[in-house]
Amino acid sequence: MANITSATANADGRIAVVGTGLVGSGWAIVFARAGFAVSLYDAVPGAAERARALIGERLGDLEAAGLIEDPAAIHARVVVADSLADALSGALYVQESVLERVDVKTALMSEIDAVIGPETWVGSSSSGIGASLFTAHVACRARCLVAHPLNPPYLAPIVELVPAPWTEPETVRGVRGLMERVGQSPVEMTREAEGFILNRLQGVLLMEAWRLVEQGLATAEDVDKTVSQGLGLRWAFMGPFETIDLNAPGGVADYARRLGGLYQSIAASTDQHRTWDEPLIATVEAQRRAVLPAAELSARSAWRDRRLMALALHKRERDAADMKQEESR
């Protein structure tokens, strides 16, 4: 994660955040932390004001974790817009984060199209719906794409950039540059595919996790432990290809030749993917609630965020140390 604070940022332009739930609020922190003025807009009365208050609380947490300086200055950059037109006025970029439904996004894009500037880019926080499904009808469609974050985006820097068939290459380049400037880590898809990169990868792991519980091979707790105390430790700083590249003496090709047969056999034995049914959902729900009562979900989410803050600080410090070491060679 880039070391971006209110003291070092030197941004210009305005960012509009449309839809101010948890994801939209998180995006506002990303842009304001990097020095941009941010306009919040939500069609639900009072939602943007509540989001701004939540942003103030989250900024306090980030300061306490040593991840930002001067949270008051960052918070001051975030304002509530009276209307969508006001939010988009002079905006360099719009981050749409409304409900994950095609009809809702389609209707909003019509509203945005009516007031958008001639050079403003629009990124959607869509988790799996391609922009082609809700931007085909608007005149600004060449400047629209998906910019999907991991939540919360101010702690998890990955952002998936997914163009629609009509998205101009300059839009992708411009939004990528903006994301890099604000400390995010953009990845690009060459074309749309349902679920994009992140949820396609996560979906395969989740499918197998549910199957292990369904077949009585393991508990939900032990599946979680296998990831958090095993796979996830490496995945916190390297991806699956680098992981296997380092897990065989001759690198990734050696690994593939050694273990490719095993993975092929596993895949052949698990080629039936079905919808998680209610009995299975009830089984996993019961196992999770035995470990974490429903009343403690919110507190555990706050614990997760504190852990992510500590990890973000560690990664920043280690990245700086690695860079210093490289420069000294």
Side-chain angles (χ1 to χ4, degrees), residues 238-251:
M238 64 173 68
F241 285 120
E242 184 174 6
T243 295
I244 64 173
D245 196 31
L246 302 180
N247 273 4

Side-chain angles (χ1 to χ4, degrees), residues 225-267:
K225 187 182 295 183
T226 300
V227 176
S228 66
Q229 302 299 315
L231 293 172
L233 293 177
R234 295 180 301 200
W235 289 350
F237 55 89
M238 64 173 68
F241 285 120
E242 184 174 6
T243 295
I244 64 173
D245 196 31
L246 302 180
N247 273 4
V252 66
D254 185 19
Y255 185 96
R257 294 181 185 115
R258 288 170 182 256
L259 296 174
L262 169 64
Y263 289 113
Q264 183 179 18
S265 178
I266 293 171

Side-chain angles (χ1 to χ4, degrees), residues 204-227:
V204 174
L205 189 146
L206 281 174
M207 188 66 68
E208 192 56 39
W210 284 88
R211 192 199 322 276
L212 286 166
V213 175
E214 180 182 31
Q215 295 180 353
L217 295 169
T219 63
E221 182 177 9
D222 280 352
V223 171
D224 278 353
K225 187 182 295 183
T226 300
V227 176

Side-chain angles (χ1 to χ4, degrees), residues 20 25 40-42 44-53 55 78-81:
T20 59
S25 298
L40 300 177
Y41 174 76
D42 199 297
V44 177
E49 288 80 2
R50 290 191 293 273
R52 189 174 186 277
I55 288 166
V78 181
V79 299
V80 174

Side-chain angles (χ1 to χ4, degrees), residues 84-99:
L84 181 62
D86 181 40
L88 268 63
S89 178
L92 169 69
Y93 175 72
V94 182
Q95 186 70 48
E96 170 268 303
S97 301
V98 298
L99 193 63

Side-chain angles (χ1 to χ4, degrees), residues 47-294:
E49 288 80 2
R50 290 191 293 273
R52 189 174 186 277
L54 177 64
I55 288 166
E57 295 174 11
R58 295 293 178 266
L59 290 172
D61 294 339
L62 289 169
E63 181 190 31
L67 289 170
I68 63 169
E69 300 170 3
D70 201 353
I74 298 173
H75 197 217
R77 297 188 192 108
V78 181
V79 299
V80 174
D82 294 329
S83 66
L84 181 62
D86 181 40
L88 268 63
S89 178
L92 169 69
Y93 175 72
V94 182
Q95 186 70 48
E96 170 268 303
S97 301
V98 298
L99 193 63
E100 188 80 357
R101 276 177 32 190
V102 172
D103 60 332
V104 173
K105 291 182 182 294
T106 299
L108 175 61
M109 284 307 307
S110 294
E111 296 179 38
I112 288 175
D113 196 46
V115 296
I116 195 170
E119 298 181 352
T120 306
W121 300 309
V122 181
S124 172
S125 296
S126 171
S127 298
I129 303 171
S132 63
L133 296 178
F134 53 86
T135 65
H137 64 298
V138 294
C140 66
R141 68 182 194 168
R143 291 178 277 126
C144 300
L145 78 170
V146 165
H148 171 237
L150 196 64
N151 192 38
Y154 54 87
L155 293 176
I158 198 73
V159 53
E160 299 179 292
L161 303 182
V162 188
W166 41 77
T167 304
E168 291 287 350
E170 176 55 35
T171 298
V172 180
R173 287 193 294 270
V175 175
R176 182 185 184 98
L178 174 64
M179 291 300 168
E180 290 172 342
R181 183 177 179 184
V182 300
Q184 300 304 95
S185 183
V187 294
E188 294 180 27
M189 293 193 75
T190 58
R191 60 185 183 276
E192 292 180 336
E194 186 178 17
F196 315 139
I197 302 171
L198 191 150
N199 279 323
R200 290 177 78 89
L201 291 172
Q202 181 172 236
V204 174
L205 189 146
L206 281 174
M207 188 66 68
E208 192 56 39
W210 284 88
R211 192 199 322 276
L212 286 166
V213 175
E214 180 182 31
Q215 295 180 353
L217 295 169
T219 63
E221 182 177 9
D222 280 352
V223 171
D224 278 353
K225 187 182 295 183
T226 300
V227 176
S228 66
Q229 302 299 315
L231 293 172
L233 293 177
R234 295 180 301 200
W235 289 350
F237 55 89
M238 64 173 68
F241 285 120
E242 184 174 6
T243 295
I244 64 173
D245 196 31
L246 302 180
N247 273 4
V252 66
D254 185 19
Y255 185 96
R257 294 181 185 115
R258 288 170 182 256
L259 296 174
L262 169 64
Y263 289 113
Q264 183 179 18
S265 178
I266 293 171
S269 70
T270 60
D271 59 356
Q272 294 297 317
H273 300 299
R274 62 185 186 81
T275 303
W276 308 324
D277 59 23
E278 287 302 320
L280 176 57
I281 293 171
T283 296
V284 175
E285 170 72 10
Q287 291 185 17
R288 283 300 304 149
R289 296 293 72 82
V291 176
L292 181 69

